[in-house]
Amino acid sequence: KSGALVPLTRLARSKDQRVQRNATGALLNMTHRPELRLMLIEAGSVAVLVDLVVSLDEETQYYAITALSNIAVDDNGRNVLWDTQEELVDMLIKALHRPLKIKIQSQIVLTLRNLACDSRYQVQIVEKGGLDALLPLLQSSYTILITSTCACLRNLSIDSRNEAPIICSGFLPELVDLIPQADEPDLQCHAISTVRNMAANTGQDKQAFVDSGLFDRLKIALTDSRTHPKVLCELAAALSVFALNDQLWRPIVELGFCKLLVQLTRCRDMEAEYNA
């Protein structure tokens, strides 16, 4: 297996577009298992994949970005990327500013999401202008792109230093408006969790959360019979965080959430019941 990686890596640098595309696709196939990803790293393939992030051939570009996304899934891969590919985040963000197919845009965002599992990347992505590139995607008409963007924001919001930039960039109203979308439970979970992460951070004024209509949207989702149990779980977990904040507990009481939470304690989903 490892013997194929060196020639594949060399072929991925080929000037023949078809050869390069097929070699990059083969390298992508080698990133689906942890032990193969390690071999790929040891063969020096990562630098080639990073170079191909800006390939003019869309399929080659897609294969390379998806391979990097897979490499960024675990700590070892993220550490290698951090230590050796300092231009990667810049390249990904710049690519998002160009007109690309939806599947490529979505894969770039998912790569940023995987990188943002690491606290170093959470800060770097925001510092390098990642939020400016992500905001238009959150306003896309394509659900897959909105969902991947919310997933990325969910990880970025873990670091307390990112709360103010995310809010100042205009994300909060957009995230709040996504909360009632019962037909897209994954999207709902990412949006709710992102808002919860930001609210959990201390030292920031939370009035913007109240002014955004957050609690009206939460109530809509909580009372919608279509809401998925995993979303109910996220809703209850978010409310438990909001209830601890001096500015956010009052809407929970005044808007009748306590009664809804009591009802949720009889939910068939054990985790949602526990969180309530």
Side-chain angles (χ1 to χ4, degrees):
K1 294 176 181 176
S2 60
L5 285 172
V6 173
L8 278 176
T9 300
R10 187 165 54 249
L11 290 172
R13 293 188 182 276
S14 173
K15 293 182 180 180
D16 185 311
Q17 191 173 87
R18 185 173 60 178
V19 171
Q20 185 181 69
R21 182 190 305 141
N22 290 335
T24 307
L27 290 174
L28 166 60
N29 290 336
M30 301 291 282
T31 63
H32 296 302
R33 290 166 52 187
E35 66 273 20
L36 295 182
R37 290 197 293 271
L38 181 60
M39 292 179 185
L40 187 145
I41 290 169
E42 292 173 346
S45 305
V46 172
V48 178
L49 292 170
V50 171
D51 287 342
L52 293 173
V53 166
V54 294
S55 172
L56 297 179
D57 179 70
E58 290 181 331
E59 286 305 306
T60 301
Q61 183 184 35
Y62 176 75
Y63 293 154
I65 293 168
T66 306
L68 290 168
S69 180
N70 292 342
I71 291 169
V73 163
D74 55 49
D75 289 338
N76 183 60
R78 287 191 294 272
N79 286 334
V80 169
L81 291 170
W82 179 266
D83 292 338
T84 66
Q85 304 300 321
E86 60 183 31
E87 299 299 320
L88 176 58
V89 168
D90 279 320
M91 294 172 69
L92 292 171
I93 291 172
K94 287 178 182 177
L96 282 177
H97 286 293
R98 296 197 294 269
L100 296 170
K101 287 184 177 179
I102 296 302
K103 72 172 186 177
I104 299 176
Q105 287 182 311
S106 182
Q107 196 58 60
I108 291 173
V109 176
L110 290 175
T111 305
L112 291 171
R113 187 274 307 269
N114 288 346
L115 291 172
C117 291
D118 186 305
S119 60
R120 297 170 295 183
Y121 278 116
Q122 288 166 11
V123 175
Q124 187 186 74
I125 290 168
V126 172
E127 288 180 342
K128 288 183 175 292
L131 295 179
D132 289 339
L134 291 172
L135 184 58
L137 306 184
L138 200 61
Q139 301 163 338
S140 168
S141 57
Y142 295 93
T143 301
I144 184 174
L145 195 51
I146 300 172
T147 302
S148 59
T149 302
C150 277
C152 184
L153 288 168
R154 182 176 188 168
N155 283 354
L156 293 177
S157 67
I158 293 172
D159 194 294
S160 61
R161 289 168 289 184
N162 290 339
E163 178 189 349
I166 291 173
I167 292 176
C168 291
S169 296
F171 282 91
L172 185 57
E174 301 289 342
L175 290 166
V176 166
D177 284 345
L178 295 172
I179 289 174
Q181 295 195 14
D183 293 333
E184 301 293 340
D186 289 337
L187 176 57
Q188 284 182 291
C189 285
H190 292 316
I192 294 165
S193 182
T194 301
V195 175
R196 182 194 69 206
N197 288 344
M198 293 192 293
N201 297 327
T202 59
Q204 296 286 342
D205 185 2
K206 306 300 180 187
Q207 187 59 41
F209 291 78
V210 179
D211 295 341
S212 69
L214 169 64
F215 291 96
D216 290 333
R217 305 301 196 284
L218 291 171
K219 195 168 186 178
I220 291 171
L222 200 54
T223 56
D224 191 331
S225 61
R226 300 172 300 160
T227 300
H228 194 280
K230 67 181 181 181
V231 178
L232 292 174
C233 180
E234 289 287 350
L235 286 166
L239 287 167
S240 70
V241 170
F242 301 153
L244 296 174
N245 184 274
D246 290 341
Q247 291 176 280
L248 301 180
W249 67 265
R250 191 176 297 277
I252 295 175
V253 175
E254 294 178 348
L255 294 177
F257 280 94
C258 294
K259 182 178 179 180
L260 296 174
L261 287 169
V262 169
Q263 294 173 356
L264 197 55
T265 61
R266 298 189 288 271
C267 176
R268 293 181 180 180
D269 185 87
M270 292 182 63
E271 192 171 0
E273 179 183 9
Y274 174 80
N275 285 343

